[in-house]
Amino acid sequence: AGPKRKAAFLSRLVPLVQAENARIQRDRNWLVGVHTRINPTTPEERKRLVRLCDDYGVSCAPGKVSRELLTRVNTVPLEMVVIQAVEESGWGTSRLA
């Protein structure tokens, strides 16, 4: 893969990773807020908690934010994602990429 292919690969990958990390960070911020407050969760918050528990494959008590969920809902460093994507796709040259 030449410099143009590498630049094209990164120009497509980096914004996707940044957007996903931003979404994950919003979910994490919300979870921390719910976890640290005293008030009970609302029905809508409980639905969101169930969705997050399902998305991350974590068993959760109804209306409770578990430590495991807080550990799992976290961003991944951009550099790690890029390195893994390069390794697995050969700079986007694999058949699946």
Side-chain angles (χ1 to χ4, degrees):
K4 286 184 182 180
R5 179 181 295 275
K6 290 177 181 180
F9 181 79
L10 293 174
S11 71
R12 286 188 173 252
L13 179 67
V14 169
L16 294 172
V17 174
Q18 289 172 330
E20 189 62 16
N21 270 342
R23 185 193 61 77
I24 293 167
Q25 189 61 52
R26 285 190 302 274
D27 284 343
R28 181 170 177 73
N29 292 343
W30 179 80
L31 279 171
V32 169
V34 169
H35 182 66
T36 58
R37 74 170 195 230
I38 297 169
N39 299 337
T41 56
T42 67
E44 288 301 315
E45 290 172 331
R46 286 191 291 277
K47 286 179 188 176
R48 187 172 178 185
L49 273 171
V50 167
R51 181 185 55 80
L52 285 171
C53 290
D54 288 345
D55 288 350
Y56 284 88
V58 175
S59 298
C60 297
K64 302 290 182 190
V65 177
S66 69
R67 290 197 185 277
E68 183 181 3
L69 185 61
L70 280 172
T71 301
R72 299 278 309 272
V73 179
N74 213 338
T75 59
V76 179
L78 176 64
E79 295 81 4
M80 281 181 65
V81 176
V82 169
I83 290 167
Q84 189 70 32
V86 166
E87 189 67 29
E88 290 187 16
S89 73
W91 288 99
T93 61
S94 72
R95 180 177 58 87
L96 296 176

XYZ file of all heavy atoms in Angstrom:
761
model
N 0.847 -1.185 0.000
C 0.000 0.000 0.000
C 0.884 1.236 0.000
O 1.769 1.377 0.818
C -0.905 -0.006 1.222
N 0.611 2.104 -0.949
C 1.391 3.329 -1.054
C 0.838 4.428 -0.162
O -0.170 4.270 0.515
N 1.531 5.570 -0.167
C 1.116 6.688 0.688
C -0.312 7.170 0.418
O -1.033 7.534 1.348
C 2.124 7.789 0.359
C 3.297 7.093 -0.235
C 2.773 5.853 -0.878
N -0.740 7.147 -0.841
C -2.108 7.590 -1.146
C -3.146 6.651 -0.550
O -4.159 7.083 -0.015
C -2.302 7.712 -2.660
C -1.634 8.914 -3.266
C -1.956 9.021 -4.738
C -1.228 10.212 -5.344
N -1.536 10.342 -6.779
N -2.896 5.348 -0.673
C -3.827 4.369 -0.114
C -3.877 4.510 1.413
O -4.954 4.453 2.011
C -3.437 2.957 -0.487
C -4.393 1.912 0.114
C -4.008 0.493 -0.219
N -4.092 0.205 -1.617
C -5.206 -0.174 -2.248
N -6.321 -0.283 -1.571
N -5.191 -0.452 -3.519
N -2.729 4.693 2.027
C -2.694 4.837 3.478
C -3.443 6.091 3.916
O -4.216 6.061 4.884
C -1.247 4.876 3.971
C -0.549 3.538 3.834
C 0.895 3.626 4.260
C 1.583 2.280 4.086
N 2.983 2.308 4.492
N -3.242 7.185 3.208
C -3.936 8.436 3.541
C -5.443 8.281 3.368
O -6.226 8.754 4.199
C -3.408 9.576 2.677
N -5.864 7.616 2.297
C -7.293 7.397 2.057
C -7.882 6.512 3.156
O -8.987 6.776 3.653
C -7.502 6.766 0.685
N -7.162 5.484 3.531
C -7.612 4.575 4.580
C -7.820 5.338 5.885
O -8.870 5.235 6.524
C -6.575 3.458 4.757
C -6.941 2.445 5.800
C -7.850 1.434 5.520
C -6.358 2.482 7.053
C -8.176 0.484 6.485
C -6.678 1.541 8.010
C -7.587 0.542 7.727
N -6.827 6.123 6.259
C -6.914 6.882 7.507
C -7.994 7.957 7.451
O -8.685 8.202 8.442
C -5.562 7.509 7.854
C -4.463 6.507 8.219
C -3.135 7.219 8.408
C -4.836 5.730 9.469
N -8.161 8.584 6.287
C -9.168 9.647 6.185
C -10.585 9.091 6.323
O -11.497 9.817 6.715
C -9.015 10.407 4.870
O -9.415 9.608 3.778
N -10.771 7.818 6.016
C -12.086 7.190 6.213
C -12.241 6.616 7.614
O -13.298 6.704 8.214
C -12.307 6.074 5.206
C -12.583 6.588 3.832
C -12.991 5.436 2.931
N -13.425 5.965 1.659
C -14.691 5.977 1.266
N -15.619 5.502 2.047
N -15.003 6.455 0.091
N -11.182 6.033 8.134
C -11.256 5.336 9.405
C -11.325 6.280 10.606
O -12.158 6.107 11.492
C -10.061 4.388 9.557
C -9.991 3.611 10.869
C -11.137 2.606 10.948
C -8.654 2.908 10.996
N -10.458 7.263 10.645
C -10.336 8.131 11.826
C -11.661 8.811 12.183
O -12.074 8.772 13.353
C -9.175 9.131 11.657
C -9.192 10.193 12.737
C -7.838 8.377 11.676
N -12.385 9.432 11.247
C -13.659 10.056 11.639
C -14.684 9.055 12.180
O -15.459 9.380 13.083
C -14.170 10.698 10.345
C -12.964 10.859 9.494
C -12.052 9.733 9.850
N -14.688 7.836 11.640
C -15.606 6.814 12.144
C -15.294 6.452 13.598
O -16.199 6.343 14.431
C -15.543 5.560 11.272
C -16.043 5.698 9.843
C -15.733 4.430 9.050
C -17.527 5.990 9.830
N -14.022 6.282 13.883
C -13.607 5.931 15.247
C -13.901 7.084 16.197
O -14.408 6.882 17.306
C -12.109 5.551 15.284
C -11.633 5.321 16.710
C -11.858 4.323 14.429
N -13.615 8.298 15.778
C -13.875 9.465 16.626
C -15.365 9.608 16.923
O -15.743 9.904 18.060
C -13.325 10.732 15.974
C -11.817 10.776 15.972
C -11.256 11.931 15.160
O -11.855 12.374 14.179
N -10.099 12.414 15.571
N -16.204 9.383 15.932
C -17.651 9.484 16.142
C -18.141 8.407 17.112
O -18.957 8.682 17.996
C -18.386 9.376 14.805
N -17.643 7.196 16.944
C -18.057 6.111 17.835
C -17.548 6.344 19.254
O -18.275 6.118 20.222
C -17.553 4.763 17.303
C -18.097 3.581 18.037
C -19.605 3.424 17.956
O -20.249 4.048 17.094
O -20.156 2.667 18.786
N -16.321 6.807 19.399
C -15.799 7.124 20.731
C -16.602 8.243 21.377
O -16.829 8.231 22.591
C -14.312 7.475 20.667
C -13.426 6.263 20.837
O -13.847 5.215 21.312
N -12.171 6.400 20.447
N -17.041 9.224 20.610
C -17.860 10.312 21.151
C -19.198 9.768 21.655
O -19.683 10.154 22.727
C -18.075 11.396 20.099
N -19.809 8.853 20.897
C -21.072 8.243 21.321
C -20.876 7.447 22.607
O -21.664 7.543 23.546
C -21.622 7.326 20.226
C -23.004 6.753 20.573
C -23.394 5.617 19.651
N -22.499 4.478 19.710
C -22.491 3.566 20.696
N -23.309 3.674 21.716
N -21.661 2.546 20.650
N -19.805 6.663 22.654
C -19.520 5.868 23.849
C -19.273 6.779 25.044
O -19.737 6.515 26.147
C -18.318 4.927 23.601
C -18.686 3.865 22.573
C -17.842 4.285 24.901
C -17.503 3.080 22.031
N -18.553 7.874 24.844
C -18.266 8.797 25.938
C -19.548 9.442 26.464
O -19.704 9.619 27.671
C -17.270 9.875 25.504
C -16.766 10.743 26.645
C -16.025 9.939 27.700
O -15.105 9.187 27.388
N -16.417 10.080 28.962
N -20.494 9.771 25.570
C -21.779 10.315 26.017
C -22.519 9.295 26.882
O -23.067 9.646 27.940
C -22.645 10.720 24.829
C -22.210 12.002 24.162
C -23.227 12.510 23.149
N -23.519 11.547 22.076
C -22.818 11.421 20.955
N -21.769 12.213 20.753
N -23.158 10.538 20.039
N -22.521 8.029 26.442
C -23.160 6.977 27.237
C -22.475 6.832 28.591
O -23.132 6.693 29.622
C -23.128 5.630 26.504
C -24.139 5.536 25.382
O -25.087 6.353 25.341
O -23.984 4.631 24.525
N -21.164 6.871 28.593
C -20.413 6.737 29.849
C -20.707 7.894 30.795
O -20.925 7.693 31.996
C -18.924 6.629 29.575
C -18.113 6.461 30.846
C -16.665 6.118 30.585
N -15.927 6.040 31.813
C -16.015 5.076 32.716
N -16.841 4.063 32.512
N -15.301 5.095 33.808
N -20.708 9.110 30.255
C -21.005 10.280 31.092
C -22.396 10.160 31.712
O -22.599 10.473 32.890
C -20.888 11.572 30.286
C -19.467 11.882 29.884
O -18.509 11.339 30.428
N -19.311 12.742 28.900
N -23.359 9.695 30.913
C -24.711 9.514 31.412
C -24.735 8.452 32.513
O -25.361 8.641 33.561
C -25.646 9.124 30.256
C -27.047 8.908 30.693
C -27.992 9.858 30.934
C -27.659 7.645 30.978
N -29.158 9.260 31.335
C -28.978 7.905 31.369
C -27.219 6.335 30.911
C -29.861 6.887 31.714
C -28.095 5.320 31.257
C -29.396 5.605 31.646
N -24.047 7.334 32.276
C -24.001 6.263 33.281
C -23.396 6.740 34.598
O -23.920 6.436 35.675
C -23.175 5.086 32.762
C -23.847 4.122 31.819
C -22.831 3.153 31.243
C -24.978 3.377 32.506
N -22.312 7.478 34.519
C -21.665 7.987 35.731
C -22.624 8.916 36.469
O -22.743 8.858 37.698
C -20.333 8.702 35.392
C -19.792 9.451 36.592
C -19.309 7.681 34.897
N -23.331 9.765 35.726
C -24.294 10.664 36.349
C -25.404 9.914 37.063
O -25.779 10.240 38.195
N -25.946 8.892 36.418
C -27.011 8.087 37.027
C -26.467 7.323 38.235
O -27.128 7.217 39.272
C -27.613 7.107 35.988
C -28.517 6.082 36.644
C -28.375 7.878 34.918
N -25.261 6.823 38.119
C -24.646 6.019 39.183
C -24.367 6.855 40.436
O -24.494 6.346 41.551
C -23.351 5.397 38.656
C -22.654 4.526 39.643
N -23.184 3.338 40.099
C -21.463 4.663 40.268
C -22.340 2.781 40.951
N -21.293 3.569 41.064
N -23.999 8.106 40.263
C -23.561 8.911 41.404
C -24.676 9.722 42.058
O -24.470 10.264 43.135
C -22.435 9.869 40.981
O -22.900 10.698 39.914
C -21.199 9.114 40.567
N -25.825 9.798 41.443
C -26.886 10.613 42.049
C -27.714 9.803 43.032
O -27.705 8.561 43.022
C -27.744 11.245 40.974
C -28.673 10.313 40.293
C -29.642 11.079 39.418
N -30.717 10.187 39.066
C -31.143 10.002 37.844
N -30.624 10.686 36.856
N -32.111 9.167 37.609
N -28.490 10.507 43.824
C -29.283 9.881 44.878
C -30.675 9.502 44.375
O -31.221 8.474 44.773
C -29.394 10.830 46.093
C -28.004 11.066 46.682
C -30.326 10.275 47.155
C -27.946 12.170 47.713
N -31.254 10.283 43.493
C -32.616 10.051 43.015
C -32.744 8.712 42.295
O -31.824 8.295 41.602
C -33.054 11.162 42.064
C -33.063 12.512 42.738
O -33.157 12.598 43.950
N -32.958 13.558 41.951
N -33.900 8.051 42.417
C -34.103 6.784 41.687
C -34.209 7.035 40.181
O -34.491 8.148 39.747
C -35.425 6.252 42.256
C -36.094 7.418 42.885
C -35.029 8.414 43.251
N -33.977 5.983 39.419
C -34.037 6.116 37.963
C -35.488 6.216 37.504
O -36.393 5.644 38.110
C -33.373 4.906 37.278
O -33.993 3.716 37.735
C -31.886 4.864 37.538
N -35.685 6.935 36.408
C -37.007 7.068 35.801
C -37.257 5.866 34.891
O -36.310 5.141 34.543
C -37.085 8.364 34.970
O -36.202 8.240 33.841
C -36.725 9.592 35.799
N -38.483 5.662 34.451
C -38.747 4.554 33.510
C -37.914 4.655 32.228
O -37.415 3.642 31.728
C -40.245 4.683 33.220
C -40.812 5.333 34.438
C -39.735 6.283 34.907
N -37.753 5.849 31.689
C -36.933 6.021 30.477
C -35.469 5.691 30.742
O -34.803 5.082 29.905
C -37.066 7.448 29.935
C -38.402 7.744 29.288
C -38.694 6.810 28.122
O -37.806 6.575 27.282
O -39.827 6.293 28.069
N -34.975 6.089 31.899
C -33.586 5.765 32.253
C -33.406 4.256 32.421
O -32.385 3.708 32.001
C -33.180 6.500 33.528
C -33.028 7.994 33.340
C -32.824 8.745 34.630
O -33.312 8.284 35.686
O -32.176 9.804 34.583
N -34.388 3.604 32.997
C -34.301 2.143 33.150
C -34.267 1.456 31.786
O -33.516 0.500 31.586
C -35.446 1.626 34.016
C -35.251 1.941 35.501
C -36.223 1.208 36.394
N -37.600 1.652 36.265
C -38.125 2.716 36.884
N -37.370 3.441 37.698
N -39.397 3.032 36.712
N -35.060 1.951 30.840
C -35.036 1.396 29.482
C -33.661 1.575 28.853
O -33.144 0.671 28.193
C -36.091 2.070 28.604
C -37.500 1.653 28.899
C -38.467 2.383 27.989
C -39.905 2.126 28.380
N -40.846 2.899 27.564
N -33.090 2.756 29.036
C -31.756 3.014 28.473
C -30.713 2.114 29.134
O -29.809 1.599 28.457
C -31.388 4.489 28.647
C -30.114 4.881 27.943
C -29.891 6.356 27.975
N -28.631 6.715 27.328
C -28.140 7.936 27.306
N -28.799 8.935 27.853
N -26.982 8.180 26.721
N -30.825 1.906 30.435
C -29.901 1.010 31.134
C -30.007 -0.419 30.606
O -28.993 -1.083 30.393
C -30.180 1.026 32.632
C -29.481 2.091 33.448
C -30.019 2.109 34.872
C -27.991 1.886 33.443
N -31.234 -0.890 30.397
C -31.432 -2.245 29.860
C -30.786 -2.361 28.489
O -30.113 -3.350 28.181
C -32.942 -2.590 29.802
C -33.184 -3.837 28.967
C -33.498 -2.762 31.200
N -30.979 -1.333 27.645
C -30.391 -1.349 26.299
C -28.866 -1.408 26.375
O -28.232 -2.204 25.682
C -30.825 -0.123 25.503
C -30.261 -0.116 24.088
C -30.584 1.161 23.337
N -30.173 2.379 24.005
C -28.918 2.876 23.996
N -27.949 2.224 23.383
N -28.630 4.002 24.595
N -28.283 -0.592 27.245
C -26.817 -0.589 27.380
C -26.314 -1.926 27.920
O -25.302 -2.448 27.438
C -26.357 0.560 28.276
C -26.406 1.943 27.645
C -26.140 3.026 28.689
C -25.410 2.055 26.507
N -27.010 -2.480 28.889
C -26.607 -3.794 29.423
C -26.662 -4.846 28.325
O -25.740 -5.660 28.197
C -27.501 -4.187 30.591
S -27.235 -3.195 32.075
N -27.706 -4.826 27.533
C -27.821 -5.775 26.415
C -26.727 -5.543 25.381
O -26.106 -6.493 24.906
C -29.189 -5.658 25.744
C -30.314 -6.217 26.589
O -30.023 -6.948 27.560
O -31.485 -5.908 26.286
N -26.502 -4.274 25.016
C -25.484 -3.948 24.009
C -24.093 -4.425 24.426
O -23.303 -4.853 23.587
C -25.436 -2.436 23.750
C -26.643 -1.923 22.987
O -27.435 -2.745 22.476
O -26.791 -0.680 22.891
N -23.803 -4.328 25.721
C -22.470 -4.677 26.197
C -22.404 -6.082 26.797
O -21.360 -6.494 27.307
C -21.983 -3.634 27.209
C -21.550 -2.353 26.532
C -22.457 -1.343 26.260
C -20.236 -2.171 26.129
C -22.071 -0.175 25.619
C -19.836 -1.010 25.493
C -20.759 -0.023 25.234
O -20.372 1.131 24.589
N -23.510 -6.816 26.769
C -23.509 -8.190 27.266
C -23.242 -8.298 28.750
O -22.528 -9.194 29.191
N -23.827 -7.388 29.515
C -23.611 -7.351 30.958
C -24.941 -7.631 31.658
O -25.976 -7.083 31.276
C -23.073 -5.966 31.386
C -22.964 -5.848 32.887
C -21.731 -5.692 30.731
N -24.905 -8.462 32.679
C -26.100 -8.694 33.493
C -26.231 -7.545 34.482
O -25.289 -7.237 35.214
C -25.982 -10.009 34.259
O -25.895 -11.079 33.361
N -27.403 -6.915 34.495
C -27.605 -5.756 35.363
C -28.888 -5.923 36.162
O -29.878 -6.452 35.654
C -27.724 -4.476 34.532
S -26.259 -4.064 33.595
N -28.857 -5.460 37.395
C -30.076 -5.413 38.205
C -30.935 -4.267 37.675
O -30.413 -3.251 37.221
C -29.709 -5.180 39.668
N -32.251 -4.431 37.710
C -33.140 -3.381 37.183
C -32.882 -2.018 37.824
O -32.884 -1.886 39.043
C -34.538 -3.893 37.536
C -34.385 -5.359 37.706
C -32.997 -5.575 38.229
N -32.630 -1.036 36.973
C -32.437 0.332 37.445
C -31.112 0.607 38.108
O -30.915 1.683 38.667
N -30.193 -0.332 38.074
C -28.890 -0.162 38.738
C -27.762 -0.138 37.712
O -27.782 -0.873 36.735
C -28.626 -1.303 39.728
C -29.669 -1.455 40.797
C -29.627 -0.318 41.772
C -30.675 -0.530 42.859
N -30.841 0.623 43.695
N -26.775 0.695 37.973
C -25.578 0.765 37.125
C -24.505 -0.075 37.806
O -24.034 0.263 38.890
C -25.086 2.222 36.950
C -23.817 2.264 36.127
C -26.174 3.083 36.321
N -24.136 -1.169 37.177
C -23.133 -2.058 37.774
C -21.720 -1.553 37.473
O -21.490 -0.839 36.506
C -23.303 -3.482 37.246
O -22.939 -3.544 35.880
N -20.803 -1.961 38.305
C -19.388 -1.613 38.078
C -18.888 -2.225 36.772
O -18.104 -1.630 36.063
C -18.526 -2.077 39.242
C -18.752 -1.301 40.513
C -17.601 -1.518 41.486
N -17.862 -0.885 42.749
C -17.637 0.404 42.992
N -17.185 1.174 42.044
N -17.886 0.909 44.184
N -19.368 -3.435 36.477
C -18.954 -4.087 35.237
C -19.392 -3.272 34.022
O -18.635 -3.101 33.069
C -19.532 -5.499 35.151
C -19.069 -6.242 33.919
C -19.651 -7.638 33.790
O -20.483 -8.047 34.627
O -19.256 -8.319 32.830
N -20.613 -2.742 34.061
C -21.085 -1.920 32.949
C -20.247 -0.657 32.827
O -19.858 -0.269 31.723
C -22.564 -1.570 33.126
C -23.217 -0.810 31.973
C -23.162 -1.635 30.683
C -24.648 -0.442 32.314
N -19.942 -0.022 33.957
C -19.093 1.176 33.914
C -17.710 0.863 33.352
O -17.121 1.683 32.658
C -18.954 1.777 35.317
C -20.120 2.632 35.789
C -19.945 2.994 37.257
C -20.260 3.879 34.941
N -17.212 -0.315 33.648
C -15.906 -0.713 33.116
C -15.975 -0.957 31.610
O -15.077 -0.565 30.872
C -15.414 -1.993 33.826
O -15.320 -1.726 35.222
C -14.069 -2.432 33.293
N -17.040 -1.581 31.154
C -17.168 -1.944 29.740
C -17.474 -0.750 28.842
O -17.021 -0.695 27.711
C -18.265 -3.002 29.559
C -18.047 -4.297 30.282
C -17.129 -5.262 29.569
N -17.434 -5.529 28.193
C -18.247 -6.455 27.739
N -18.900 -7.227 28.573
N -18.423 -6.617 26.449
N -18.287 0.194 29.330
C -18.672 1.355 28.517
C -17.553 2.376 28.625
O -17.522 3.217 29.518
C -20.025 1.956 28.966
C -20.380 3.162 28.109
C -21.119 0.919 28.886
N -16.605 2.254 27.729
C -15.440 3.130 27.745
C -14.856 3.207 26.339
O -14.973 2.265 25.561
C -14.384 2.613 28.727
C -13.612 3.728 29.373
O -13.551 4.828 28.844
N -13.018 3.449 30.518
N -14.244 4.316 26.042
C -13.678 4.522 24.717
C -12.417 3.681 24.523
O -11.814 3.206 25.493
C -13.335 6.004 24.488
O -12.404 6.424 25.488
C -14.577 6.874 24.548
N -12.054 3.520 23.261
C -10.826 2.810 22.897
C -9.896 3.842 22.261
O -10.326 4.620 21.403
C -11.121 1.668 21.901
C -9.855 0.956 21.495
C -12.117 0.687 22.504
N -8.622 3.876 22.668
C -7.709 4.857 22.079
C -7.656 4.738 20.550
O -7.586 3.631 20.001
C -6.359 4.510 22.701
C -6.699 3.823 23.985
C -7.974 3.071 23.700
N -7.712 5.868 19.886
C -7.701 5.934 18.431
C -6.525 5.153 17.850
O -6.682 4.407 16.882
C -7.649 7.392 17.973
C -7.541 7.643 16.478
C -8.768 7.132 15.752
C -7.341 9.125 16.215
N -5.369 5.290 18.450
C -4.177 4.629 17.937
C -4.336 3.110 17.933
O -3.913 2.429 17.004
C -2.940 5.023 18.756
C -2.566 6.483 18.660
C -3.390 7.385 19.569
O -4.228 6.879 20.358
O -3.216 8.607 19.487
N -4.966 2.576 18.992
C -5.171 1.121 19.063
C -6.094 0.641 17.959
O -5.859 -0.399 17.343
C -5.757 0.727 20.420
C -4.744 0.664 21.533
S -5.504 0.159 23.093
C -6.020 -1.491 22.718
N -7.158 1.398 17.707
C -8.110 1.009 16.674
C -7.439 1.053 15.306
O -7.601 0.139 14.488
C -9.359 1.914 16.698
C -10.300 1.565 15.565
C -10.064 1.817 18.038
N -6.675 2.108 15.046
C -6.006 2.250 13.746
C -5.019 1.113 13.533
O -5.001 0.484 12.468
C -5.317 3.623 13.625
C -4.407 3.676 12.410
C -6.366 4.736 13.551
N -4.224 0.813 14.536
C -3.238 -0.262 14.411
C -3.937 -1.589 14.145
O -3.523 -2.357 13.275
C -2.347 -0.338 15.665
C -1.418 0.872 15.715
C -1.537 -1.629 15.693
C -0.714 1.062 17.038
N -5.007 -1.864 14.869
C -5.739 -3.116 14.677
C -6.359 -3.172 13.279
O -6.312 -4.209 12.607
C -6.829 -3.264 15.739
C -7.482 -4.607 15.749
C -6.551 -5.699 16.260
O -5.702 -5.459 17.101
N -6.720 -6.894 15.738
N -6.936 -2.059 12.830
C -7.556 -2.022 11.499
C -6.511 -2.215 10.401
O -6.753 -2.919 9.421
C -8.289 -0.702 11.303
N -5.357 -1.601 10.551
C -4.277 -1.762 9.574
C -3.838 -3.221 9.538
O -3.690 -3.816 8.465
C -3.082 -0.850 9.920
C -1.833 -1.237 9.149
C -3.441 0.613 9.647
N -3.656 -3.799 10.720
C -3.188 -5.184 10.811
C -4.187 -6.153 10.190
O -3.816 -7.055 9.444
C -2.943 -5.540 12.286
C -2.263 -6.847 12.505
C -0.839 -6.864 12.002
O -0.166 -5.829 11.979
O -0.401 -7.957 11.612
N -5.462 -5.960 10.492
C -6.470 -6.913 10.034
C -6.870 -6.725 8.575
O -7.337 -7.667 7.948
C -7.712 -6.826 10.916
C -7.455 -7.377 12.306
C -8.713 -7.452 13.145
O -9.827 -7.371 12.591
O -8.577 -7.622 14.367
N -6.702 -5.522 8.041
C -7.167 -5.283 6.666
C -6.040 -5.026 5.669
O -6.315 -4.872 4.475
C -8.116 -4.082 6.648
O -7.390 -2.875 6.819
N -4.809 -4.966 6.148
C -3.706 -4.665 5.238
C -3.890 -3.299 4.572
O -3.811 -3.178 3.350
N -4.136 -2.285 5.396
C -4.378 -0.922 4.907
C -5.588 -0.867 3.958
O -5.628 -0.141 2.997
C -3.155 -0.325 4.213
C -2.062 0.024 5.152
C -0.941 -0.719 5.413
C -1.968 1.163 5.995
N -0.155 -0.097 6.340
C -0.765 1.077 6.724
C -2.780 2.280 6.208
C -0.361 2.041 7.640
C -2.385 3.245 7.117
C -1.184 3.118 7.816
N -6.587 -1.690 4.274
C -7.812 -1.661 3.473
C -7.734 -2.485 2.199
O -8.577 -2.361 1.320
N -6.724 -3.341 2.065
C -6.564 -4.122 0.836
C -7.168 -5.522 0.923
O -7.222 -6.214 -0.083
C -5.071 -4.267 0.467
O -4.393 -4.942 1.519
C -4.439 -2.901 0.213
N -7.632 -5.902 2.112
C -8.206 -7.250 2.213
C -9.540 -7.320 1.466
O -10.177 -6.309 1.213
C -8.420 -7.633 3.689
O -9.493 -6.895 4.228
N -9.943 -8.509 1.153
C -11.183 -8.708 0.411
C -12.376 -8.128 1.176
O -13.244 -7.499 0.583
C -11.382 -10.206 0.165
C -12.642 -10.554 -0.610
C -12.725 -12.048 -0.870
N -12.708 -12.855 0.322
C -13.777 -13.197 1.044
N -14.953 -12.766 0.658
N -13.660 -13.944 2.093
N -12.427 -8.326 2.475
C -13.544 -7.841 3.279
C -13.516 -6.316 3.459
O -14.563 -5.696 3.606
C -13.591 -8.528 4.622
C -13.850 -10.030 4.565
C -13.766 -10.626 5.961
C -15.193 -10.309 3.950
N -12.349 -5.737 3.478
C -12.240 -4.284 3.651
C -12.808 -3.586 2.451
O -13.422 -2.562 2.515
C -10.796 -3.875 3.894
